[in-house]
């Protein structure tokens, strides 16, 4: 009898659970309708007053039903976040429209982190389209392909959460005619791969691209007798190890590469910091800076004199204008060079009044100034 009552109660819970799922689905459908209205009327993606109001009303209801207020708040904050992400994706899909004839250039061949990033990006915005991919030997070739119309888009890494900004990419962006139109992040899990089952003591050489070597510096310090052999890409390094078929060689690669190149995983994650993320920029000849009220990012590269306090003044100006810096990297050159090269990301559209004023001042104070991107981003302002 007790079991029958228990089953009946559980059945009622199952019905309520299904209703919750259905209502979340219905709410998401309404969110899609809302973003269409926002886009049409040039309204901001986020309405923070509305979000505060929703949470406030929810808190009142939770107290009425004697529920844990913090627990209910957390649930609805996640629901609101889901709604924002959903609306953001809609905006991105309407901006990031590609044709089947479009080709993406990346540092390859198959299995490289650039390859994984472009696959994630294409799947995110073009699930029904099979896009063409063009493998390249180095970052310069990746850029040149799109500049010379051999491909429509290029992808290059700009920053890693462990090793920082990639200077080579910043220099290429500085001299390129391409514009940044979007970005994508992927989690990096460096694995130690071998062609044959082997032991750490037998390994003599490690092959990899210089970035994974830099990121796995802590792990590699445990094996000072290993000789490091740098390759043009992660996938090229995996190919070399596969070809050698030696117990004395290993490669820093990824799980996907081990499947593509039939390599064995000796160690699944070489990084001390497990939350290792690389951010990639999508480049094109086209601009993607249509001014709609969403979360935008503007990227600038500029040079200012080293001897003056122009850099400090710029930071004060940005702070006074209440502009939010997403990323800032400066390169102070040797004594013979009299300027500082800066890479700056601000979470604002370039056409807002405050950004226009900052650009006006920066143009007057800088030796060199270039806007390399203004595009919608998933990054929210604080």
């Amino acid at each position: 009898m007790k079991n029958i009552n228990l089953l009946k109660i559980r059945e009622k819970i199952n019905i309520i659970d299904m209703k919750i799922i259905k209502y979340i689905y219905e709410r998401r459908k309404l969110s899609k309708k809302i973003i269409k209205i926002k886009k049409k009327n040039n309204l901001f993606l986020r309405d923070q007053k509305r979000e505060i109001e929703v949470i406030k009303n929810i808190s009142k209801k939770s107290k009425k039903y004697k529920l844990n207020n913090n627990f209910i708040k957390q649930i609805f904050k996640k629901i609101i976040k889901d709604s924002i992400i959903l609306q953001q994706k809609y905006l991105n899909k309407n901006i990031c429209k590609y044709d089947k004839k479009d080709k993406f250039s990346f540092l390859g061949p198959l299995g490289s982190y650039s390859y994984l990033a472009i696959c994630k990006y294409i799947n995110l915005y073009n699930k029904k389209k099979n896009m063409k991919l063009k493998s390249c030997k180095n970052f310069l070739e990746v850029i040149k392909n799109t500049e010379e119309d051999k491909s429509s888009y290029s992808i290059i890494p700009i920053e890693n959460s462990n090793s920082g900004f990639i200077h080579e990419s910043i220099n290429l962006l500085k001299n390129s005619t391409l514009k940044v139109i979007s970005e994508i992040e992927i989690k990096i899990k460096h694995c130690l791969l071998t062609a044959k089952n082997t032991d750490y003591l037998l390994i003599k050489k490690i092959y990899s691209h210089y970035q994974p070597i830099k990121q796995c510096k802590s792990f590699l310090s445990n094996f000072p007798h290993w000789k490091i052999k740098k390759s043009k890409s992660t996938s090229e390094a995996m190919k070399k190890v596969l070809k050698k078929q030696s117990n004395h060689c290993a490669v820093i690669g990824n799980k996907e590469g081990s499947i593509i190149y039939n390599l064995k995983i000796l160690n699944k994650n070489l990084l001390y910091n497990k939350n290792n993320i690389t951010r990639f920029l999508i480049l094109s000849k086209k601009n993607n800076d249509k001014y709609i009220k969403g979360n935008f990012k503007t990227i600038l590269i500029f040079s200012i004199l080293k001897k003056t306090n122009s850099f400090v003044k710029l930071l004060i100006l940005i702070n006074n204008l209440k502009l939010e810096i997403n990323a800032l990297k400066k390169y102070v050159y040797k004594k013979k060079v009299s300027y500082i090269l800066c890479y700056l990301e601000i979470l604002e559209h370039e056409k807002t009044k405050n950004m226009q004023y900052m650009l006006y001042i920066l143009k007057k104070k800088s030796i060199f100034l270039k806007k390399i991107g203004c595009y919608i981003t998933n990054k929210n302002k604080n």
Side-chain angles (χ1 to χ4, degrees):
M1 188 69 181
K2 285 182 180 179
N3 287 341
I4 293 168
N5 289 336
L6 183 64
L7 289 170
K8 282 182 179 180
I9 293 168
R10 283 177 174 172
E11 186 59 38
K12 285 180 180 179
I13 289 173
N14 289 341
I15 291 167
I16 291 168
D17 288 345
M18 291 306 107
K19 282 182 179 179
I20 291 170
I21 290 169
K22 185 185 175 183
Y23 285 134
I24 290 172
Y25 170 73
E26 293 295 332
R27 195 185 193 282
R28 292 181 106 238
K29 278 172 68 177
L30 293 173
S31 290
K32 287 180 181 179
K33 288 182 179 180
I34 285 170
I35 192 58
K36 288 177 184 178
I37 295 167
K38 284 180 180 177
K39 188 171 182 288
K40 188 177 179 181
N41 294 281
N42 198 28
L43 299 172
F44 282 105
L45 172 69
R46 292 193 73 173
D47 185 344
Q48 291 184 331
K49 285 183 180 179
R50 160 72 180 161
E51 289 173 26
I52 293 166
E53 188 184 328
V54 168
I55 296 297
K56 195 175 178 181
N57 290 335
I58 291 301
S59 296
K60 286 179 182 178
K61 289 288 181 184
S62 65
K63 286 175 185 178
K64 183 182 175 181
Y65 292 107
K66 296 180 180 179
L67 296 168
N68 185 307
N69 193 32
N70 288 331
F71 173 66
I72 299 300
K73 273 185 179 181
Q74 284 175 16
I75 291 171
F76 277 87
K77 279 180 180 179
K78 285 185 178 181
I79 289 171
I80 289 168
K81 188 179 178 181
D82 175 71
S83 179
I84 292 162
I85 292 168
L86 186 72
Q87 292 182 17
Q88 189 77 63
K89 281 183 179 180
Y90 171 83
L91 287 177
N92 279 334
K93 280 182 180 179
N94 280 270
I95 290 172
C96 307
K97 287 183 177 178
Y98 307 113
D99 189 86
K100 285 183 180 179
K101 293 179 182 177
D102 288 340
K103 192 179 286 184
F104 285 82
S105 287
F106 67 98
L107 183 66
L110 302 183
S112 68
Y113 287 110
S114 292
Y115 167 77
L116 299 180
I118 204 64
C119 287
K120 181 181 176 181
Y121 184 77
I122 290 169
N123 288 334
L124 192 61
Y125 299 125
N126 301 273
K127 288 182 179 178
K128 294 180 181 179
K129 296 181 180 179
N130 295 317
M131 309 302 292
K132 294 178 181 178
L133 304 178
K134 187 170 180 60
S135 171
C136 301
K137 292 178 182 178
N138 52 59
F139 289 139
L140 180 60
E141 187 184 338
V142 172
I143 298 286
K144 287 289 182 186
N145 273 343
T146 303
E147 284 181 340
E148 296 169 3
D149 295 319
K150 293 175 183 176
S151 63
S152 309
Y153 303 93
S154 295
I155 183 168
I156 59 168
I158 189 65
E159 181 187 14
N160 176 266
S161 57
N162 278 10
S163 57
F165 281 91
I166 299 164
H167 194 191
E168 183 185 355
S169 295
I170 291 174
N171 274 334
L172 286 168
L173 288 168
K174 179 179 177 284
N175 299 312
S176 175
T177 57
L178 302 182
K179 300 292 181 185
V180 182
I181 61 158
S182 192
E183 62 181 52
I184 192 81
E185 290 182 347
I186 64 165
K187 280 192 175 182
I188 304 294
K189 288 186 179 180
H190 294 309
C191 303
L192 191 67
L193 311 174
T194 58
K196 291 184 175 183
N197 286 324
T198 188
D199 187 84
Y200 284 101
L201 296 172
L202 294 174
I203 296 171
K204 293 179 181 179
K205 291 180 183 178
I206 293 289
Y207 292 85
S208 187
H209 185 255
Y210 76 92
Q211 277 294 320
I213 291 168
K214 189 178 177 182
Q215 292 162 27
C216 298
K217 194 175 179 181
S218 179
F219 170 78
L220 292 171
S221 66
N222 296 314
F223 307 94
H225 61 285
W226 288 356
K227 289 184 179 179
I228 308 296
K229 298 287 183 179
K230 294 179 182 178
S231 301
K232 290 177 182 177
S233 70
T234 307
S235 43
E236 184 188 84
M238 289 189 282
K239 273 187 171 182
K240 282 181 182 177
V241 171
L242 177 66
K243 190 177 180 180
K244 285 182 180 294
Q245 287 291 316
S246 170
N247 288 326
H248 306 301
C249 297
V251 58
I252 299 174
N254 52 61
K255 186 180 176 182
E256 291 79 5
S258 71
I259 296 166
I260 293 169
Y261 297 105
N262 194 27
L263 296 171
K264 293 167 179 64
I265 299 175
L266 197 61
N267 191 318
K268 285 185 178 180
N269 201 338
L270 308 183
L271 295 165
Y272 176 74
N273 179 8
K274 305 299 180 185
N275 192 29
N276 184 25
I277 293 168
T278 296
R279 182 160 59 98
F280 291 80
L281 300 178
I282 314 298
L283 311 172
S284 172
K285 278 188 172 181
K286 307 171 188 175
N287 269 324
N288 194 14
D289 59 355
K290 186 181 177 184
Y291 190 22
I292 56 175
K293 292 181 179 179
N295 296 321
F296 270 86
K297 182 183 286 185
T298 299
I299 304 180
L300 305 168
I301 293 179
F302 58 93
S303 298
I304 51 177
L305 289 170
K306 196 195 313 185
K307 289 181 180 179
T308 67
N309 59 350
S310 298
F311 184 76
V312 176
K313 284 181 179 178
L314 174 65
L315 293 179
I316 293 168
L317 176 65
I318 290 170
N319 183 60
N320 290 340
L321 292 172
K322 295 182 179 178
L323 296 170
E324 186 176 339
I325 295 174
N326 181 68
L328 174 61
K329 178 66 180 177
K330 66 173 182 175
Y331 296 94
V332 182
Y333 289 92
K334 293 177 182 178
K335 290 179 182 179
K336 291 181 181 179
V337 184
S338 60
Y339 65 87
I340 301 168
L341 178 69
C342 300
Y343 173 91
L344 175 65
E345 294 180 359
I346 292 185
L347 295 177
E348 194 86 25
H349 197 287
E350 62 164 330
K351 290 180 182 176
T352 62
K353 287 181 181 179
N354 285 353
M355 274 295 291
Q356 284 292 299
Y357 181 69
M358 190 208 75
L359 288 167
Y360 168 74
I361 299 296
L362 192 55
K363 193 173 182 180
K364 287 175 70 175
K365 300 290 182 183
S366 60
I367 304 163
F368 166 85
L369 173 63
K370 184 180 181 183
K371 185 205 85 178
I372 60 167
C374 181
Y375 56 95
I376 200 159
T377 174
N378 291 329
K379 179 81 175 177
N380 294 322
K381 294 181 188 179
N382 292 331

